[in-house]
Amino acid sequence: MKRFTKVKWDRKEVVLRWTTEEDGDVISHTLKSKQPPHSDFGIALGRFDTTVAQLIEVELDWADALRVIGLSIDYDDEGRAGLIVTCLRELQATDAPLVLNMPRVLEPEGALGSGLPADLFDLLDRAVVQASAYLAGKRAQGELFEDAA
């Protein structure tokens, strides 16, 4: 089973990290590419903005100024995902953006009572689908491995 541990697009480079298991061994993989992802990849990351604004308890108008650039994912012993979302916010008074790392949140065991936005881990699932699509060749310029017609 493939488990992503990093999904990142900072408009310069895509970084994907994932693990697989083979004969009981966990194998780590990394892909770094300057090939831009398909727009669906960026959209999947961008959909975290409002949820992150809610979790870090800032005004929701901040969500429009946040640019989500990465997801760091880990897994507990029961297989539940832990998630940290990294965002940038441009500042007028400086040349460098503010970097925000959302505090790590753990996927709830049950659907009720977690206090987390209901869509947070659905958003993660969508981002992982796009990361898998990138690995399969889905890029900004089109499918890399399309069959010629």
Side-chain angles (χ1 to χ4, degrees), residues 36-74:
H38 190 275
S39 61
D40 292 344
F41 189 106
I43 290 168
L45 287 180
R47 288 196 171 133
F48 280 89
D49 58 2
T50 301
T51 302
V52 169
Q54 291 171 339
L55 284 169
I56 64 173
E57 300 176 9
V58 295
E59 298 296 325
L60 288 182
D61 63 344
W62 260 57
D64 293 335
L66 292 176
R67 181 166 50 99
V68 178
I69 63 165
L71 310 174
S72 298
I73 310 146
D74 64 2

Side-chain angles (χ1 to χ4, degrees), residues 14-106:
V14 171
V15 177
L16 300 176
R17 290 193 186 111
W18 69 98
T19 61
T20 56
E21 284 190 43
E22 188 175 305
D23 299 325
D25 293 328
V26 176
I27 303 167
S28 297
H29 308 268
T30 301
L31 172 93
K32 293 183 179 185
S33 177
K34 302 242 184 256
Q35 292 182 357
H38 190 275
S39 61
D40 292 344
F41 189 106
I43 290 168
L45 287 180
R47 288 196 171 133
F48 280 89
D49 58 2
T50 301
T51 302
V52 169
Q54 291 171 339
L55 284 169
I56 64 173
E57 300 176 9
V58 295
E59 298 296 325
L60 288 182
D61 63 344
W62 260 57
D64 293 335
L66 292 176
R67 181 166 50 99
V68 178
I69 63 165
L71 310 174
S72 298
I73 310 146
D74 64 2
Y75 301 89
D76 72 4
D77 292 339
E78 286 84 41
R80 293 184 302 155
L83 174 64
I84 298 171
V85 180
T86 301
C87 306
L88 301 179
R89 185 176 197 275
E90 299 298 326
L91 302 173
Q92 293 179 0
T94 68
D95 292 334
L98 174 66
V99 179
L100 294 168
N101 283 317
M102 180 189 82
R104 179 182 178 269
V105 293
L106 185 63

